[in-house]
Amino acid sequence: MATDEVADDVRDWLSRLGLEARSEAARLVEVVVTAEPRVQQAVKWGRLTFTVRDDWHHWLCAVAVTRKGTKLVFHKGALLRDPGGVLKGTGRYLREVPYAGVENSRDAVAALVREAVRRQTDMLD
């Protein structure tokens, strides 16, 4: 999907957010799409989710909005190199970057997006 094309489900999801969360989500989308223009986006599992090659089973990352704030969640973040130290979390696979971390480390987050594409189907041993 081109960046100027927004699917109805994405538009609806964004419209239900408060003004601040919508602005933050839009900035996160910009970071992801700029890092990897081939990404596809759709609302999956209550989040604005990104993948490539229609492989939603191995999604890359998602924008999550909670009471604690807006964040970018990496499906297989535990597998990604994180020299910038921006990934947070201790789950088996998931790692996240809070919105402030994305804004302060856009290049590091863009590198994570590109690596997530390269490792899309990788699994932990």
Side-chain angles (χ1 to χ4, degrees), residues 1-69:
M1 171 182 322
T3 57
D4 58 343
E5 298 174 21
V6 178
D8 288 341
D9 65 333
V10 172
R11 189 180 347 273
D12 291 345
W13 185 85
L14 288 167
S15 74
R16 289 191 300 261
L17 299 177
L19 194 55
E20 182 178 1
R22 187 178 321 136
S23 174
E24 290 175 352
R27 299 277 303 218
L28 296 180
V29 169
E30 177 187 322
V31 170
V32 172
V33 172
T34 300
E36 178 50 73
R38 298 176 296 158
V39 295
Q40 299 158 283
Q41 48 187 305
V43 177
K44 304 278 187 188
W45 310 285
R47 297 174 173 173
L48 179 52
T49 306
F50 302 90
T51 195
V52 292
R53 298 179 291 277
D54 278 324
D55 188 351
W56 294 104
H57 179 71
H58 296 283
W59 55 278
L60 304 171
C61 57
V63 175
V65 179
T66 68
R67 282 180 271 147
K68 292 182 178 182

Side-chain angles (χ1 to χ4, degrees), residues 80-91:
L80 304 177
R81 290 183 312 272
D82 182 24
V86 297
L87 289 172
K88 308 295 180 209
T90 59

